[in-house]
Amino acid sequence: MSVEFGGRSGRQGRLSQWLRGRRPKEAAGDGGREALLLAAAEAGLPLAPAAHPAGYRCSCDRVGCPTPARHPVSFAWQTQSTTDRAQIERWARHQPQANFITATGMVHDVLDVPLDAGREALDRLLEAGVEVGPVAESDDGRMLFFTLTRGTPEDEDEWWPCELDCHPETMDEHPGLRWHCRGSYVLVPPSRLLGDDDPSVHWERGPEHPLPDPLSLLEYLTDACARYAGDQPDPTEAAWPLRH
């Protein structure tokens, strides 16, 4: 399964120019939020509503929620995720505080790295002239590189499932690269984390950029993560596990 991301229409080009010209706080307003979500959907990223901050707790009201404001609202998020414009408009207007996730492994994957390592890798990629797609930053210290998925084989048994390298409560002990593919998701901009009034997850490079092959980015990202891990105290002696 593949999607052609070239040849943007004039309307999409104007939307991309408008988004790039807006300041982050302006683009995060009610109208800007919906435009950003629709731009992501038009780029092929399937979306679904997610929990959001409710003061200093998660809107799901689960006691001790391990991923506050970071998880889908519905357990059926994989089948619910969509790029349908009308559905996303309904969700955005009926759930004005909701964050949104994008389901990975259907059209796109996400390479999730520590922010410092990601910035270093991004600079090197651009200097080398490597095609880089959409990139998001999260205020909790992560950078998300959006890529094409590894593929959707006809044989269901050949799917490449995704599991995080750690549980949410141990994420700080594993500062390396995580590859989100089938069965995973990430927050899509604009999303808010606990304690933040302004969007905590925002685009560094917007969804108007075509999705690249993940393997073209992987060497740069793993090299940067290795250097980053070498500068960090590692009580578990696990550098940057990559086992997806």
Side-chain angles (χ1 to χ4, degrees), residues 38-67:
L38 291 173
E42 289 179 1
L45 310 185
L47 307 182
H52 61 86
Y56 287 88
R57 60 177 176 80
C58 183
S59 61
C60 72
D61 286 331
R62 176 183 173 187
V63 176
C65 175
T67 53

Side-chain angles (χ1 to χ4, degrees), residues 51-240:
H52 61 86
Y56 287 88
R57 60 177 176 80
C58 183
S59 61
C60 72
D61 286 331
R62 176 183 173 187
V63 176
C65 175
T67 53
R70 292 175 176 274
H71 60 82
V73 171
S74 171
F75 289 114
W77 58 270
Q78 292 189 72
T79 55
Q80 184 186 53
S81 298
T82 183
T83 59
D84 182 72
R85 180 185 182 91
Q87 180 61 68
I88 291 167
E89 288 176 338
R90 284 193 293 271
W91 280 334
R93 294 169 188 179
H94 294 162
Q95 304 178 52
Q97 299 301 315
N99 287 334
F100 278 76
I101 59 97
T102 178
T104 55
M106 293 187 285
V107 172
H108 72 295
D109 291 349
V110 171
L111 301 176
D112 172 356
V113 299
L115 182 58
D116 289 342
R119 286 175 173 168
E120 175 189 325
L122 179 59
D123 288 343
R124 291 181 60 212
L125 285 161
L126 295 176
E127 288 174 2
V130 177
E131 181 181 359
V132 181
V135 178
E137 287 190 6
S138 175
D139 286 352
D140 64 348
R142 305 294 296 186
M143 182 173 273
L144 309 175
F145 289 77
F146 289 70
T147 72
L148 290 170
T149 189
R150 284 191 82 220
T152 54
E154 294 181 3
D155 185 347
E156 183 71 12
D157 292 336
E158 293 183 6
W159 276 98
W160 193 32
C162 179
E163 296 179 1
L164 287 178
D165 293 311
C166 54
H167 297 292
E169 61 269 20
T170 64
M171 283 180 65
D172 291 342
E173 298 174 5
H174 298 270
L177 184 150
R178 292 189 286 276
W179 191 325
H180 298 271
C181 49
R182 193 185 191 210
S184 189
Y185 57 83
V186 297
L187 287 175
V188 67
S191 292
R192 294 182 298 120
L193 305 179
L194 294 192
D196 289 329
D197 293 327
D198 296 328
S200 308
V201 183
H202 54 275
W203 290 117
E204 173 68 19
R205 288 169 54 87
E208 70 274 7
H209 295 281
L211 295 172
D213 185 326
L215 299 182
S216 67
L217 310 185
L218 192 57
E219 180 179 355
Y220 292 87
L221 292 173
T222 53
D223 284 351
C225 283
R227 282 191 290 276
Y228 172 85
D231 293 337
Q232 303 300 311
D234 189 2
T236 65
E237 296 184 355
W240 38 275

